[in-house]
Amino acid sequence: DGGITQSPKYLFRKEGQNVTLSCEQNLNHDAMYWYRQDPGQGLRLIYYSQIVNDFQKGDIAEGYSVSREKKESFPLTVTSAQKNPTAFYLCASSAPGQGAGNTIYFGEGSWLTVV
Amino acid sequence: EDKVVQSPLSLVVHEGDTVTLNCSYEVTNFRSLLWYKQEKKAPTFLFMLTSSGIEKKSGRLSSILDKKELFSILNITATQTGDSAVYLCAVRKNYGGSQGNLIFGKGTKLSVKP
């Protein structure tokens, strides 16, 4: 089945460690996104990529890094520079184009807790 | 600055009630407005609205957009406990915007009591 797969679902990190969240999609979508969600908050954009080998900072990119070496994959690294990384992370993808039928599809999310 | 504001932030109703969730926006390069339902994990898509005054309907849920007033509502009639969730409103900008192309509100947490 086509979809977006995020892993791991739950991750614990010690302070000072970098961690990488995986996001893979087989929807043949060009655009991919990483969002962060905190309790009582909406989704905030961390990074997005519209095409392979290109990505742009979102609203809260500090302390995060990404890569887009393959169309299917858009991993997010939470670095030690991110001061408050405990959150729910959602990966998403969408197809480009001008038609009104485009929507954005989400993965199941990854819960990151700093211990 | 682009913003999407949802109200109320939380709502408690009883089964059978009808609810209206609100979403207002101030976004440049508006393309469409989307509604999502989020229970525990990934948001699931409900509606996408691009034109004013055309109601989208799916079962007990319906939504409409007013592009003049920059406003959308999501109606749920005859609510059930399974409707309990956070409902997210998002505005999609035209492709190529410098901030990525989806701006989310904070969501409305709906709790339906038996």
Side-chain angles (χ1 to χ4, degrees):
Chain A
D1 286 347
I4 302 176
T5 302
Q6 286 186 240
S7 63
K9 284 192 169 66
Y10 300 95
L11 183 62
F12 296 90
R13 185 195 98 172
K14 291 183 179 178
E15 284 193 27
Q17 284 182 336
N18 291 356
V19 292
T20 297
L21 308 180
S22 168
C23 178
E24 304 278 331
Q25 55 99 358
N26 59 5
L27 300 166
N28 201 32
H29 285 169
D30 285 310
M32 297 186 74
Y33 314 82
W34 274 105
Y35 291 91
R36 169 181 171 142
Q37 188 175 32
D38 294 283
Q41 300 288 322
L43 279 64
R44 292 183 291 167
L45 183 66
I46 305 173
Y47 267 98
Y48 68 103
S49 168
Q50 296 177 356
I51 198 167
V52 174
N53 291 323
D54 183 62
F55 47 83
Q56 307 294 329
K57 291 182 180 180
D59 300 318
I60 53 166
E62 186 175 351
Y64 299 98
S65 66
V66 293
S67 62
R68 188 83 188 279
E69 296 175 3
K70 298 187 298 181
K71 187 176 185 178
E72 303 80 20
S73 179
F74 191 41
L76 173 75
T77 296
V78 185
T79 74
S80 57
Q82 170 48 238
K83 297 306 177 191
N84 188 20
T86 295
F88 184 54
Y89 291 87
L90 279 163
C91 179
S93 70
S94 68
Q98 305 304 313
N102 291 328
T103 58
I104 190 166
Y105 296 85
F106 289 90
E108 293 288 291
S110 294
W111 288 95
L112 172 63
T113 302
V114 173
V115 297
Chain B
E1 184 184 340
D2 294 328
K3 61 180 178 180
V4 176
V5 179
Q6 292 185 246
S7 64
L9 290 180
S10 67
L11 189 57
V12 180
V13 300
H14 288 95
E15 272 192 315
D17 289 348
T18 292
V19 298
T20 298
L21 310 183
N22 305 303
C23 178
S24 65
Y25 62 92
E26 292 177 28
V27 176
T28 56
N29 296 315
F30 175 89
R31 179 176 176 180
S32 58
L33 186 143
L34 297 93
W35 284 97
Y36 289 87
K37 178 182 181 182
Q38 186 178 28
E39 292 177 85
K40 291 280 187 195
K41 297 182 285 189
T44 53
F45 172 75
L46 294 174
F47 297 111
M48 183 173 70
L49 304 157
T50 55
S51 301
S52 276
I54 298 175
E55 186 184 44
K56 292 280 183 90
K57 208 166 162 57
S58 176
R60 295 176 294 102
L61 277 66
S62 64
S63 184
I64 197 161
L65 173 68
D66 186 332
K67 289 171 77 173
K68 182 179 175 187
E69 299 297 330
L70 308 183
F71 196 84
S72 175
I73 59 171
L74 174 68
N75 280 325
I76 308 175
T77 59
T79 51
Q80 302 171 357
T81 55
D83 295 327
S84 296
V86 174
Y87 289 84
L88 295 168
C89 173
V91 170
R92 190 164 190 185
K93 296 166 68 88
N94 276 318
Y95 211 67
S98 60
Q99 298 180 1
N101 68 349
L102 208 63
I103 313 254
F104 281 87
K106 292 188 177 181
T108 293
K109 183 177 180 180
L110 174 65
S111 299
V112 181
K113 305 289 187 188

